[in-house]
Amino acid sequence: MDIVLTAVAVMTLIFVVLGLGVWVFSGLAIVALLSLVLIGDVSFHRAGAILSRIIFSAGNSWELSAIPLFILMGELIFRSDISDRLFKGLEPWTKKLPGGILHTNVFGCALFAAVSGSSAATTATVGKITTTELKKRGYNRSLSIGSLAGAGSLGLLIPPSLVMIVYGIQSEVSISKLFMAGILPGILIALLYSGYLIIRALMNPSLCPPENVSQISKLKSIVLLLPVISLIVIVMGAIYTGIATPSEAAAVGVFATLLILLKERQLSFAMIQEALIATLLSSTMVCSILITAALLSTAMGFLHLPSELARYIANLHLSPAWLLFALAIFYIVLGLFLDGISITVMSLPITLPIVVQAGFDPLWFGVFLVILIELGQITPPVGFNLFVLQGLTGEKIGQVAKAAFPFFILMCTAALILCLIPNIALWLPNLLSPN
Amino acid sequence: VTKFDFTNEYNATSIHAQGDQYFIDQVSKLTKGDVQITLHTGGSLGFKSADNFYAVSDDAVQIADTLAGSMAGIDPIFLVSSLPFLVKNEKQAEDLYKIAKPYYQKIFAKNGQILLYASPWPASGIWSKKTVTNKQELANLKIRTYDKNGTLTLRDAGADPIKLSWADVVPQLSTGGIQAVLTSADAGASGKFWEHLDNYSAIQYAIPLNMVHMNKDEFDDLPKKDQQAILKAAALTDKHNWQAVKTRVAENYKELVAHKVTIHKDLPKPFIHWLQESAKPSLKEWLKDTGQPGQTIIAEFEKSK
Amino acid sequence: MLIRFLATLSRQLNRLSGALAMLLIVYVLCHILLEIVLRLFGTSTYVLDEFVGYAVAAITFLGLGYSLERNSLIRVNILMDRLPERFHWLLDLLVSAMSFTIFTWISYYWYINTLRSFQRGTTSSSIAETPLWIPEGMVLIGLVLLCFTLLVRMLLLISTRHVPHIELAQSHE
Ligand code: NA
Ligand code: NA
């Protein structure tokens, strides 16, 4: 079958199956099976052998362990008064800023991204802490969910980053340099988001309720922020001194949270039990979708879809600028229904050589690619940040996707800026390690 | 036209992927395009090396390139190519492979598969920050190892072996969490280890093999002439790969020198002897695990030296 | 009568496997922390990524039935919202049947594989030489329990003609 037609057929299948209201995790498995059998002409018997093995292989993954642990950390913080103090402590800093503590979402995610390698974990943890509080205070629902969806995906761009490690291994670009290259674009995106929040708040003050003018001085607010600050210092410290690997950071985070709660005398057996129940529910939801998304990726691999599409682009012999544009469309389209790591692995053997041939620095392309992949996290029908937020807030997926849309546009803008000024990515790695 | 999918875990520029592509090109040429094979590099089909044996057996995927050591839990005979300090160079590794081949073939046959060809790794050595050329310098060295025998051997040799996933290796090197890595010059070069490490000790720890195996039913379903063509392509690739690994090592060394990595080739005899002694328990245990076949292989190999 | 018994059974089984999954989360935490401490002293458990991998797989699959009963697995309700209330159970039945079918089918193939690992004594190639049927079996149990939970859900839907409403388990059991 024609490759474009195949892509359209798969997308239709996803929309129909998920639209029926099948649980997302089983819906993805069903689409994987149907694609293999109906489009790929694979026998049911072979499809059974394929999918049963992949479902175990994808679940049996050390990298996934960060997800339940980071969620546990979020649940513990949520159940203590650390989150409450975080908002109180931020008030004196943000009260002059239009948008108020909505900015907590953006800067919370940017900071948290520095300890977590995945965007699902970033969104889930920060979201757990902020969504309830922002709702309680009467902030505009759509802005608070949207900013969280967008900023959560910074988890991939600000180091450490799982996708960058995969890209580095595949492209033989230095992982350390990739990590450095992601920092400034990450900050750029965070600033774009904050700027957008400021503009929206200025245009329509009713989106953000007036905060009770707090009497807390900036000095006193530091005391309130101390638990969160020390958490971040401990976890980042553990990673950047080499005591823990990025994959282990989540365990350090939970441990540090437990210590702080113990010191503050807020730890109880009932609380731990509640947190564990909530963690199991959230992490099962997230991990099961990640696992069956791997089934879908495998099915697409057997259909040769990503590689054929990439080859199609390669054969167009475009000028460098049009090539980037075509690749951006290509990755955004794949990002609609596949997860970032799979897309990277399946397409790179074909796209990377064309990109290098066209004269682009593979280090720069890595950052560009990560931004494109981040976009896929917030686009329906399969967008992990959307799923996480749907689970957290109970809002409909359509609402969540709509709320995330302005941030999708902002991230596209960031990708464009990165094309126009490549040094945003390259400056820092070249400064710190020339040659 | 018959279409097959071929999975491997390594990136497109790796020696394994290049060998596999060579095989695919040969098959295409020899069958005049009757058999088309698509290579999926980087584990992009979702299969890890540990999945491959039964994935091919069950025809989930038709052909796979699999690290032999990862099949040790299916039969310990697969460990022979990664036994520490058994072979000294590529020539001996090839001899050992030829001696052990009938045993590999038997296991694959019993599971509905055929062994097509082997894909050897460049020899593994020690990448490190400081020089590691004697027993004292090895003592308490935090070094990342990749398999059970490496861990046991280096522990007995006085180092502190650490097990980490490959994705964690570079972050840990950059922060100093580990000081050394046991791997080939090739793998280190593709991870740009010279950004963090300055030395490579060519201890010739082992020359492990990858094996490329195919589902037997799929093979049998092909017309006779295509079967012949595949076997011929496999034989050609086998030859190609044993040659490629030698050129690869030479290229790697040039690259290392260009990046100011000091290569320690002629290591002091007592150091090598100490390492070999430390590896003895692993060899002994392997002989116990495999019984008669293992002893026969080793005996024949010693005779061939 | 039988349906009510099955529903209770399903609840109890899921509670048990949920508890096991939570214990495994605690285990993962402890093992990683232990490894960090050991590494500081230049030693290791040598099995961290392997065992934690098994545990994560087990946590997710053992948690599936548990989460399904508590309505915390997300779905897209575009169609449901447009359908009159009295047809909701029918749509839910269709969706449950589809899910039941695919996971029964996957479980069947995974059962064949797990049985083979058990009969042949296949182990991992690590230092631990873990018998593979153990982690594979945990995933199998989770899958089977998921199928059972879906089956009970279908029976409940048919008998009550109502979508089962079990509150989101924010509070205690
Ligand atoms: Na990150
Ligand atoms: Na998406």
Side-chain angles (χ1 to χ4, degrees), chain A residues 174 177 361 363 426 429-435, chain B residues 192 194-195 258-260:
Chain A
S174 152
K177 279 191 180 177
D361 186 338
L363 175 63
L426 297 176
N430 286 342
L431 181 77
L432 295 180
S433 64
N435 76 52
Chain B
K192 301 225 184 315
W194 46 73
E195 289 177 355
H259 287 93
K260 303 200 173 63

Side-chain angles (χ1 to χ4, degrees), chain C residues 8-69:
Chain C
T8 317
L9 184 64
S10 147
R11 276 188 80 82
Q12 295 298 343
L13 287 176
N14 276 320
R15 203 177 277 189
L16 193 69
S17 78
L20 187 57
M22 287 175 226
L23 281 179
L24 284 172
I25 295 177
V26 176
Y27 156 75
V28 168
L29 173 68
C30 295
H31 194 157
I32 295 178
L33 292 174
L34 175 69
E35 183 75 21
I36 292 172
V37 173
L38 287 182
R39 198 164 47 220
L40 288 176
F41 293 99
T43 177
S44 167
T45 61
Y46 302 115
V47 291
L48 177 71
D49 50 349
E50 181 187 0
F51 281 20
V52 167
Y54 298 150
V56 172
I59 290 166
T60 306
F61 287 94
L62 290 175
L64 274 174
Y66 182 85
S67 304
L68 187 75
E69 277 190 348

Side-chain angles (χ1 to χ4, degrees), chain A residues 335-338 375-383:
Chain A
L336 293 177
F337 56 94
L338 291 176
L375 285 170
Q377 307 276 337
I378 54 173
T379 52
V382 181

Side-chain angles (χ1 to χ4, degrees), chain A residues 21 24 26 53 248 390 396, chain C residues 39 74-75 81 99 109 113:
Chain A
V24 174
S26 71
R53 185 156 297 282
E248 293 163 348
Q390 187 191 359
K396 297 198 174 66
Chain C
R39 198 164 47 220
I74 56 163
R75 54 208 279 189
D81 293 341
S99 302
Y109 281 94
N113 180 75

Side-chain angles (χ1 to χ4, degrees), chain A residues 10 47 156 222 238 269:
Chain A
V10 172
L156 296 178
I222 299 280
F269 187 71

Side-chain angles (χ1 to χ4, degrees), chain A residues 332-339 343 373-387:
Chain A
I332 290 171
V333 167
L334 286 187
L336 293 177
F337 56 94
L338 291 176
D339 76 281
I343 298 174
I373 278 165
E374 285 190 348
L375 285 170
Q377 307 276 337
I378 54 173
T379 52
V382 181
F384 291 100
N385 287 12
L386 303 181
F387 291 145

Side-chain angles (χ1 to χ4, degrees), chain B:
Chain B
V1 174
T2 314
K3 292 185 176 180
F4 292 138
D5 289 291
F6 185 164
T7 175
N8 88 22
E9 247 194 327
Y10 311 94
N11 60 14
T13 56
S14 67
I15 188 165
H16 308 296
Q18 287 179 346
D20 296 343
Q21 194 55 53
Y22 178 86
F23 169 72
I24 290 171
D25 294 342
Q26 294 302 316
V27 169
S28 170
K29 208 164 76 187
L30 293 169
T31 63
K32 302 194 178 63
D34 274 355
V35 178
Q36 290 176 9
I37 305 174
T38 306
L39 182 64
H40 301 264
T41 54
S44 60
L45 274 185
F47 299 104
K48 302 169 191 160
S49 250
D51 300 317
N52 286 351
F53 186 83
Y54 284 117
V56 173
S57 187
D58 297 342
D59 203 18
V61 63
Q62 293 99 353
I63 311 174
D65 186 335
T66 308
L67 178 65
S70 76
M71 299 183 281
I74 291 154
D75 195 304
I77 214 86
F78 283 116
L79 272 184
V80 69
S81 66
S82 54
L83 287 174
F85 302 108
L86 187 60
V87 299
K88 286 205 178 60
N89 49 43
E90 290 81 6
K91 165 83 179 57
Q92 289 189 358
E94 189 175 356
D95 290 343
L96 180 63
Y97 166 64
K98 282 182 181 146
I99 294 167
K101 197 171 174 184
Y103 296 91
Y104 300 144
Q105 284 172 320
K106 214 159 87 190
I107 300 162
F108 281 118
K110 256 200 286 189
N111 289 279
Q113 304 176 48
I114 54 172
L115 172 61
L116 292 176
Y117 57 90
S119 174
W121 285 78
S124 22
I126 295 178
W127 280 85
S128 56
K129 207 156 245 166
K130 298 194 184 116
T131 55
V132 179
T133 52
N134 59 46
K135 192 173 152 182
Q136 288 73 31
E137 285 165 345
L138 184 66
N140 297 324
L141 182 76
K142 281 190 185 170
I143 179 167
R144 188 261 184 187
T145 55
Y146 57 83
D147 70 354
K148 175 186 158 185
N149 285 332
T151 304
L152 294 176
T153 301
L154 285 172
R155 192 167 63 183
D156 286 351
D160 290 343
I162 300 283
K163 203 163 167 271
L164 284 176
S165 72
W166 185 247
D168 280 335
V169 168
V170 169
Q172 279 290 87
L173 280 177
S174 65
T175 55
I178 51 173
Q179 305 147 331
V181 182
L182 176 68
T183 192
S184 60
D186 191 48
S190 72
K192 301 225 184 315
F193 279 9
W194 46 73
E195 289 177 355
H196 311 287
L197 304 174
D198 305 315
N199 292 277
Y200 178 74
S201 297
I203 59 169
Q204 303 295 88
Y205 167 80
I207 300 178
L209 291 186
N210 265 38
M211 301 207 176
V212 174
H213 45 120
M214 178 177 184
N215 183 281
K216 179 112 185 348
D217 291 338
E218 297 281 1
F219 181 80
D220 290 343
D221 285 348
L222 290 170
K224 264 270 146 16
K225 62 174 177 35
D226 287 347
Q227 293 184 5
Q228 302 280 301
I230 285 188
L231 293 180
K232 178 142 184 244
L236 286 171
T237 312
D238 231 333
K239 213 191 239 159
H240 166 90
N241 283 351
W242 285 105
Q243 188 51 48
V245 72
K246 284 178 216 154
T247 29
R248 187 81 166 202
V249 170
E251 283 166 18
N252 290 146
Y253 280 4
K254 261 191 227 152
E255 203 181 357
L256 262 55
V257 170
H259 287 93
K260 303 200 173 63
V261 176
T262 314
I263 303 173
H264 307 276
K265 253 185 282 193
D266 295 311
L267 294 159
K269 285 263 152 54
F271 182 47
I272 294 296
H273 183 71
W274 164 247
L275 288 170
Q276 286 168 337
E277 281 304 307
S278 311
K280 287 237 163 94
S282 295
L283 182 63
K284 220 185 247 167
E285 199 196 313
W286 179 79
L287 283 170
K288 209 180 76 202
D289 285 349
T290 47
Q292 193 57 50
Q295 283 162 13
T296 318
I297 292 174
I298 297 297
E300 265 190 66
F301 174 66
E302 292 299 336
K303 235 183 353 197
S304 78
K305 272 208 266 197

